[in-house]
Amino acid sequence: MSAFDAFPLGQPAFVTNILDRAAHLRRDDEKLFALEQKPSSRAYVVYRDSLLVKREGETVRALLSIDEALKCGANPGTIFLGLRDGAAVFGMGLSQAAAEKLVGREDHAITELRGMAMQGVLPPQELSAIAMAKSMVSWHQRHGYCANCGTRTAMKEGGWKRDCPACKAEHFPRTDPVVIMLVASGDKCLLGRQKQFPPGMYSCLAGFVEAAETIEDAVRREILEESGIRCTDVQYYMTQPWPYPSSLMIGCSARALNEDIVVDRMELEDARWFTREEAALMLTRTHPDGLAGPHPFAIAHHLLGRWVHDKS
């Protein structure tokens, strides 16, 4: 399955959730412990930006049994992600020492999640649950101590909270909102590129929503700051969870009020206007100058694709 087949227009990665989050079970420690012991329970095991997978011939499997995960050195403290067809699914972490012991194994591999998603190696319908596991494991690894008093905190409610035993502060996972937008002026759209992008790749501009800021204001501010373009008519399209480490990409469109670009070189390497015809070629990787648009697993591809196909 190609990436274009895996992520048809309007369906980027990480948006199809196959789990019942079953939040009512999070406070039932006995029930969760019993679910961990059941042979039907499964886990996604995360190591930094990578995923532990089991090789099965020419394919790989990311959803492991609890026993398989523990034998590979996964941390026994599990995060309850939810239920799939009645079976519990957990998220588990992997230490560096455990990851190093798996190097060279033929039956298992630790593979970068983004690459597997882009190549269509993993079933698209599993990516949302994997993103949940990655975000939650990363949060626990980075928030082990109370931000209020510095005491070591304890995992609670199936991993969806950490409690401080000293000052009694409660800490919850955070999701950072990011606006990503397709700005158009007639039959032209604005795209930019960062230095770390592959050669010739351009994408939609994006930026974090700041404190006490609306989505609309964030779109207008980020576009103005990065490109000098003023815009209006901000419209919402769709969102995409983005587990790097835990963001929510808020896809929007906007109409430009001017076309004189002033690039913020601290943020972008380049920004320019592209015609609808050029954008169509970039999305299919057939541009004569080797230019390319964003990958279909990213919401930016779908923002651009919708505009390309919208002739109104």
Side-chain angles (χ1 to χ4, degrees), residues 1 16 20 48 60 69 90 99 206 235 246 260 275:
M1 176 185 292
T16 304
D20 170 5
R48 297 180 180 174
V60 298
F90 295 89
Q235 295 185 356
S246 188
D260 299 327
T275 66

Side-chain angles (χ1 to χ4, degrees), residues 286-305:
T286 55
H287 194 285
D289 296 331
L291 302 180
H295 192 279
F297 92 122
I299 190 174
H301 174 96
H302 301 265
L303 277 166
L304 186 57

Side-chain angles (χ1 to χ4, degrees), residues 53-127:
V53 295
K54 183 174 177 59
R55 292 193 178 103
E56 296 179 328
E58 298 299 318
T59 64
V60 298
R61 173 167 54 86
L63 195 56
L64 309 179
S65 70
I66 301 297
D67 187 56
E68 287 174 327
L70 292 175
K71 285 182 177 178
C72 288
N75 298 331
T78 52
I79 301 162
F80 177 64
L81 303 180
L83 303 174
R84 180 179 182 184
D85 299 327
V89 179
F90 295 89
M92 304 175 76
L94 199 66
S95 68
Q96 181 176 344
E100 290 174 350
K101 291 181 180 179
L102 294 172
V103 174
R105 290 260 301 256
E106 294 184 358
D107 55 342
H108 291 85
I110 298 175
T111 307
E112 200 263 336
L113 172 58
R114 188 188 307 230
M116 285 195 290
M118 291 177 68
Q119 296 165 23
V121 174
L122 299 171
Q125 65 270 21
E126 288 192 49
L127 292 178

Side-chain angles (χ1 to χ4, degrees), residues 231-282:
C231 62
T232 187
D233 297 341
V234 177
Q235 295 185 356
Y236 166 81
Y237 171 46
M238 68 178 297
T239 56
Q240 179 189 28
W242 192 250
Y244 296 98
S246 188
S247 295
L248 181 66
M249 309 299 291
I250 305 169
C252 297
S253 61
R255 179 171 61 86
L257 295 174
N258 64 296
E259 295 186 359
D260 299 327
I261 297 174
V262 181
V263 177
D264 178 358
R265 300 294 177 182
M266 296 293 292
E267 296 286 339
L268 300 174
E269 183 179 75
D270 186 32
R272 52 178 283 197
W273 295 101
F274 292 89
T275 66
R276 204 181 299 269
E277 291 73 21
E278 284 182 295
L281 293 172
M282 292 166 69

Side-chain angles (χ1 to χ4, degrees), residues 161-174:
K161 184 173 80 166
R162 295 191 72 91
D163 281 350
C164 177
C167 71
K168 308 306 178 183
E170 298 177 319
H171 304 277
F172 298 91
R174 59 179 290 171

Side-chain angles (χ1 to χ4, degrees), residues 131-158:
M132 196 191 316
K134 183 187 179 308
S135 291
M136 293 296 292
V137 168
S138 296
W139 179 71
H140 282 287
Q141 291 174 341
R142 292 180 291 110
H143 293 83
Y145 294 86
C146 179
N148 187 51
C149 72
T151 301
R152 179 75 181 180
T153 55
M155 180 189 294
K156 298 291 182 180
E157 296 188 10

